[in-house]
């Protein structure tokens, strides 16, 4: 199987095409996956590779959204210390039932 540093993405023969099946209610924050039959016609090994790539990409998107959420909350609290902003962010994540990243300061530096 591949790893995050896999050469597959750098392969000049690689030509990813759109595949339907991701659905979202952007008002309620609800998502669903209903992949087309063509995806399931691929070998199980290929399905696993593709899903692993998607998982990495989705995790990056999730972390970027978490940084954006933190910055939105922090902007509304200009009088608070960084430690208090981080604690309020953790409380917000808990109330929204979101997994709060362990090292938010590192994420803030990574996704400036």
């Amino acid at each position: 199987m591949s790893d995050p540093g896999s050469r597959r993405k750098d392969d000049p023969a690689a030509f990813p095409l759109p595949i339907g099946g991701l659905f979202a209610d952007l008002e309620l924050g609800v998502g669903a996956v209903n992949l087309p039959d063509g995806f399931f016609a691929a070998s199980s090994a290929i399905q696993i590779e593709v899903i692993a790539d998607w998982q990495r990409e989705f995790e990056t998107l999730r972390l970027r959204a978490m940084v954006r959420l933190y910055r939105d909350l922090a902007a509304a609290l200009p009088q608070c210390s960084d430690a208090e902003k981080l604690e309020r962010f953790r409380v917000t994540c808990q109330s929204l039932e979101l997994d709060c990243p362990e090292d938010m300061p590192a994420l803030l530096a990574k996704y400036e």
Side-chain angles (χ1 to χ4, degrees):
M1 293 296 143
S2 68
D3 63 350
S6 172
R7 68 167 185 79
R8 290 177 306 112
K9 284 190 176 184
D10 298 330
D11 187 331
F15 189 68
L17 296 171
I19 186 169
L22 297 178
F23 299 89
D25 181 325
L26 297 177
E27 291 182 16
L28 296 178
V30 175
V33 176
N34 186 12
L35 297 172
D37 292 340
F39 176 81
F40 297 104
S43 73
S44 57
I46 292 296
Q47 289 178 34
I48 292 166
E49 292 279 345
V50 169
I51 291 168
D53 286 346
W54 285 343
Q55 286 175 315
R56 281 189 293 278
E57 295 292 330
F58 275 123
E59 180 61 9
T60 298
L61 291 171
R62 187 186 76 81
L63 293 175
R64 286 180 181 274
M66 294 298 281
V67 165
R68 188 169 152 205
L69 176 62
Y70 176 87
R71 290 196 172 123
D72 290 347
L73 292 171
L77 303 167
Q79 73 284 1
C80 294
S81 68
D82 288 344
E84 189 173 355
K85 289 175 184 177
L86 188 54
E87 182 55 32
R88 290 190 185 196
F89 174 72
R90 287 188 177 117
V91 168
T92 299
C93 287
Q94 186 177 24
S95 72
L96 296 173
E97 299 180 0
L98 299 173
D99 291 330
C100 187
E102 291 292 320
D103 193 0
M104 200 61 203
L107 286 176
L108 290 166
K110 183 176 180 176
Y111 299 114
E112 289 191 54

